[in-house]
Amino acid sequence: MRLLALENLSKVYNKNTRSETRVLQNCSFILNKGDFLIISGESGSGKSTFLNIAGLLDKEYDGEYTIRGQAVEKHNSNQLAILRNEMFGIVFQDYVLVEDASAYENIIIPLYYSKKYKRKERRNRIHEITQTLKIEDILNKSVSQLSGGQRQRVAIARALINDPDVLLLDEPTSALNQDLAQGILQFILSFGQKHHKTIVLVTHDTQNIPNVFNKHYQLADGKMTLC
Amino acid sequence: MMDALMLGFKDLFKNKRLFFIFEACLLMVCVIIMSVSFALIWELDQRSIDRTSSEAYTVIPTSNDMTSNSQLISKVNPLLNKGGRSFFHSEYLTSQMGLTTVIVIDSSLNDLLYSDEEMNQTSYAKIFTKADLDQTLMTIDFPEPTTFGSTDVSRFDERIFDSFFDDEVIIVLLHTNELGKWMESTYGSEIFDLVDNVQFTASDKQNGLVAAFEAIFDDSFLTLQPSSYQNDELRFILLYVFPTIAFVIAALLVALTIMYISLLKKLYREYTIHLISGATLKAIYARNSVFIIILIAFCLLGVSVLNGFELNDIFGIISVILLLIFFTFELLLYVVLKKRNISITLKGVD
């Protein structure tokens, strides 16, 4: 089942200015339910830009983007907000956490806007996810006091909390040491397999990637090719 | 929506120090505007009753010779029966009544205060007071026939009665030919008070009363200097106070805006994380509005306390200004949310 498709996607930063930069050129991409997909490329090749567009964080692009067969441009801002809440769970390289809030306050954010989980179910859902990620004991700590590994687990918990269909992982382990990175990646992948999630992993390092991915796109010079 | 409001309260609690600084600034703006509005409304009110064409004087004593006091009173007395108005604080009655007592001579009030029968008497006085003094008044020996009026004091012409305190005893004299009996003439302080407070209207001037009044003081121990106090005050407010106040208010509003933008910048990363997680712009608006609405509500409460909880022009002016501030802040939020790109914020560029 096709979840999303991007056709002839192009992205230009600082359009019509002297510093105009073309990052993506006519890239096409299809994501089916259950796919485990890697997008690799050198630093600055446009991987994060691509992920931002796919995750509905960037609306300024050329090309066609459809989600479950419906054009994204036809959605209004409220519908896009619902899609971001229900469909995508995004894990960023630098965690993107609210620094002066506790781990609990960070993890609960998607549930504030969720239609899947009612108010009274929130606590159980958080308990369920944090137990799986083994971060129950740090829930009340401010995230600024947490280690890199703990912060990344909090970010993953937030991405998973609303049970999204697609997990978008933007170099989720690049800030962590090798052992920790492997452990976290293994966890996400096994969680994805167990819960039938669709995963898109963006990375510049394809060396230490487990062999569970069924598709591999490569981004170079703004072009996307299926390897 | 409940969650958005709850998050708004959390933001407020997290930024409580900034909230108090905001509140102090906003209250300062409001208090300044209130003071200036009071002054302006008072001045405009004064102008609306045609003070500009009235004659008033500043009295300058030029001699210690008080022997001509009685003569002066006897000359001023018939003149004030024909027109003009004035008042003085009576030392004798103040000591007798135990309350500051003011005697008013204003022929223009006669129709309002007296019946035809009373008007036909050559000399008559009526006492009006906001205090309950019936028992005290009975025991006092007044210089002339006196009755105690029940007329509502608020009906009196505001030009004179607004300048008195609520608990002052106000005695209005009707057509007395014995003004000297009501005054202490040895030291001249009451005649000084009477002349200092005198006012003539434009029609009094046309009737020659002003010239006649000024002529009385040609060889007197008191010299009259025409007072342009009202115009000077308005000119001073408009030329000096207003620009200064406008500058201070503008500076405070700019400071408030800068502080608000810095608060938005601080909160924007969190807002962005919420937007990524599925928040709508409406939810972010609702959340942000909690801070602004509480800020403005507290300010309005402070203003109401200072204004004695009266729904008057001042309250209206402040409400409109606070409403404008509210919409300005909401507009700023709209600009910030619409203009910025979520993905760029996440990279830490902003």
Side-chain angles (χ1 to χ4, degrees):
Chain A
M1 180 193 168
R2 184 176 290 186
L3 278 181
L4 51 97
L6 280 149
E7 281 181 55
N8 299 320
L9 177 71
S10 296
K11 171 74 185 179
V12 180
Y13 283 110
N14 305 319
K15 215 171 186 175
N16 301 324
T17 65
R18 235 188 278 176
S19 55
E20 180 176 300
T21 314
R22 188 168 288 274
V23 184
L24 301 171
Q25 287 181 59
N26 300 318
C27 298
S28 292
F29 166 92
I30 290 169
L31 187 70
N32 295 316
K33 189 167 170 58
D35 272 352
F36 272 40
L37 186 150
I38 298 179
I39 298 171
S40 65
E42 293 298 312
S43 202
S45 60
K47 304 184 298 292
S48 296
T49 300
F50 182 84
L51 207 70
N52 285 336
I53 293 170
L56 302 174
L57 308 184
D58 191 348
K59 295 179 284 183
E60 293 163 16
Y61 57 87
D62 294 320
E64 280 179 43
Y65 183 12
T66 52
I67 293 178
R68 292 196 179 106
Q70 284 196 311
V72 165
E73 62 185 9
K74 286 183 182 165
H75 289 80
N76 62 30
S77 62
N78 282 354
Q79 289 168 323
L80 289 177
I82 293 169
L83 277 177
R84 277 197 291 265
N85 180 252
E86 293 185 347
M87 188 151 182
F88 298 107
I90 310 177
V91 181
F92 298 92
Q93 181 179 350
D94 51 359
Y95 323 123
V96 187
L97 298 171
V98 182
E99 293 296 323
D100 56 354
S102 67
Y104 180 89
E105 287 167 326
N106 270 280
I107 295 167
I108 200 174
I109 292 172
L111 294 182
Y112 288 136
Y113 312 102
S114 174
K115 288 187 170 61
K116 288 183 190 169
Y117 295 96
K118 289 181 182 150
R119 188 179 278 263
K120 56 188 174 188
E121 294 170 326
R122 288 176 188 171
R123 194 162 283 276
N124 283 343
R125 177 64 183 159
I126 290 172
H127 176 73
E128 194 182 317
I129 286 290
T130 52
Q131 199 177 34
T132 313
L133 279 158
K134 298 186 176 67
I135 51 170
E136 276 179 303
D137 52 335
I138 58 161
L139 276 182
N140 293 323
K141 281 189 179 174
S142 167
V143 292
S144 58
Q145 296 172 336
L146 303 180
S147 68
Q150 287 172 322
R151 287 157 73 86
Q152 192 59 299
R153 281 169 194 271
V154 171
I156 292 166
R158 188 183 63 199
L160 297 175
I161 195 79
N162 198 37
D163 193 23
D165 299 317
V166 182
L167 276 175
L168 301 175
L169 313 172
D170 186 3
E171 310 227 30
T173 56
S174 64
L176 306 175
N177 66 46
Q178 188 74 24
D179 291 342
L180 204 54
Q182 282 298 320
I184 284 182
L185 197 58
Q186 279 297 347
F187 167 79
I188 297 172
L189 295 174
S190 57
F191 183 90
Q193 282 176 322
K194 190 175 167 189
H195 294 89
H196 311 291
K197 299 289 172 201
T198 304
I199 293 179
V200 178
L201 173 68
V202 161
T203 182
H204 67 280
D205 173 24
T206 50
Q207 298 291 315
N208 301 304
I209 298 298
N211 194 22
V212 290
F213 291 90
N214 59 338
K215 275 186 196 167
H216 183 179
Y217 284 92
Q218 192 158 26
L219 256 174
D221 301 324
K223 307 268 185 195
M224 192 176 232
T225 48
L226 186 60
C227 303
Chain B
M1 197 52 76
M2 282 300 291
D3 289 318
L5 297 180
M6 186 203 73
L7 289 168
F9 280 105
K10 272 189 179 175
D11 288 340
L12 197 150
F13 188 73
K14 267 189 203 171
N15 298 287
K16 51 185 178 293
R17 201 174 294 176
L18 200 61
F19 178 84
F20 286 120
I21 296 171
F22 258 108
E23 197 62 66
C25 273
L26 204 57
L27 211 53
M28 214 182 293
V29 169
C30 289
V31 167
I32 292 171
I33 292 171
M34 276 175 82
S35 317
V36 178
S37 302
F38 268 124
L40 189 68
I41 287 171
W42 170 256
E43 280 307 312
L44 291 176
D45 191 41
Q46 297 298 300
R47 286 174 81 87
S48 72
I49 54 174
D50 200 20
R51 273 280 175 91
T52 50
S53 61
S54 73
E55 295 288 328
Y57 302 94
T58 303
V59 187
I60 303 162
T62 51
S63 154
N64 290 327
D65 179 16
M66 308 289 173
T67 50
S68 58
N69 266 0
S70 303
Q71 272 183 310
L72 208 61
I73 296 166
S74 62
K75 286 179 185 171
V76 170
N77 191 171
L79 214 136
L80 286 173
N81 281 339
K82 290 178 190 165
R85 66 197 329 178
S86 189
F87 64 89
F88 63 95
H89 290 83
S90 167
E91 289 177 17
Y92 167 72
L93 290 177
T94 297
S95 67
Q96 293 294 304
M97 309 265 263
L99 279 171
T100 305
T101 306
V102 181
I103 296 181
V104 178
I105 309 149
D106 187 345
S107 56
S108 67
L109 293 174
N110 291 350
D111 291 342
L112 178 74
L113 302 180
Y114 300 110
S115 64
D116 290 345
E117 194 185 324
E118 287 168 334
M119 289 280 280
N120 288 332
Q121 295 186 40
T122 52
S123 192
Y124 202 80
K126 216 164 188 176
I127 296 179
F128 300 95
T129 175
K130 290 176 188 171
D132 183 15
L133 289 167
D134 290 356
Q135 293 303 315
T136 316
L137 291 169
M138 297 293 187
T139 63
I140 292 172
D141 183 20
F142 289 99
E144 289 186 275
T146 305
T147 57
F148 312 122
S150 56
T151 306
D152 180 7
V153 178
S154 65
R155 286 178 61 206
F156 292 174
D157 192 328
E158 290 177 347
R159 282 174 289 186
I160 284 189
F161 290 97
D162 259 13
S163 59
F164 299 144
F165 293 107
D166 280 357
D167 59 349
E168 285 183 336
V169 182
I170 299 161
I171 298 177
V172 180
L173 295 180
L174 162 71
H175 203 77
T176 179
N177 291 319
E178 305 285 349
L179 186 58
K181 286 184 182 174
W182 292 88
M183 300 181 84
E184 183 284 318
S185 58
T186 316
Y187 303 108
S189 63
E190 289 178 351
I191 181 78
F192 186 92
D193 204 15
L194 178 81
V195 178
D196 200 46
N197 292 321
V198 81
Q199 288 170 19
F200 290 106
T201 62
S203 66
D204 291 332
K205 195 174 183 176
Q206 279 178 345
N207 294 336
L209 286 178
V210 172
F213 183 77
E214 287 173 1
I216 294 172
F217 295 88
D218 282 348
D219 297 315
S220 166
F221 70 101
L222 296 176
T223 301
L224 300 185
Q225 189 178 319
S227 168
S228 55
Y229 171 79
Q230 299 300 335
N231 285 334
D232 282 353
E233 181 148 312
L234 190 66
R235 193 169 155 269
F236 182 73
I237 289 175
L238 293 175
L239 275 179
Y240 300 101
V241 178
F242 261 37
T244 312
I245 295 299
F247 177 77
V248 172
I249 289 172
L252 281 170
L253 287 177
V254 168
L256 268 176
T257 309
I258 291 170
M259 281 196 294
Y260 181 66
I261 289 172
S262 72
L263 174 71
L264 277 188
K265 278 186 178 171
K266 187 180 166 192
L267 291 173
Y268 187 69
R269 186 180 157 83
E270 189 173 337
Y271 288 168
T272 305
I273 292 169
H274 280 257
L275 287 169
I276 291 167
S277 304
T280 57
L281 287 178
K282 207 166 92 182
I284 300 292
Y285 258 104
R287 174 178 178 175
N288 193 268
S289 298
V290 171
F291 188 95
I292 305 172
I293 288 172
I294 291 180
L295 187 77
I296 283 175
F298 270 103
C299 188
L300 213 53
L301 182 72
V303 166
S304 298
V305 169
L306 293 173
N307 198 32
F309 293 97
E310 279 188 41
L311 295 174
N312 52 16
D313 292 345
I314 305 291
F315 187 80
I317 291 168
I318 297 293
S319 302
V320 169
I321 288 168
L322 289 177
L323 213 59
L324 283 175
I325 290 174
F326 173 77
F327 283 119
T328 307
F329 280 4
E330 290 293 320
L331 188 71
L332 279 172
L333 176 66
Y334 175 81
V335 171
V336 167
L337 289 179
K338 279 280 175 190
K339 205 176 157 189
R340 294 194 180 191
N341 187 324
I342 296 175
S343 53
I344 289 175
T345 307
L346 294 178
K347 285 180 181 175
V349 175
D350 276 11

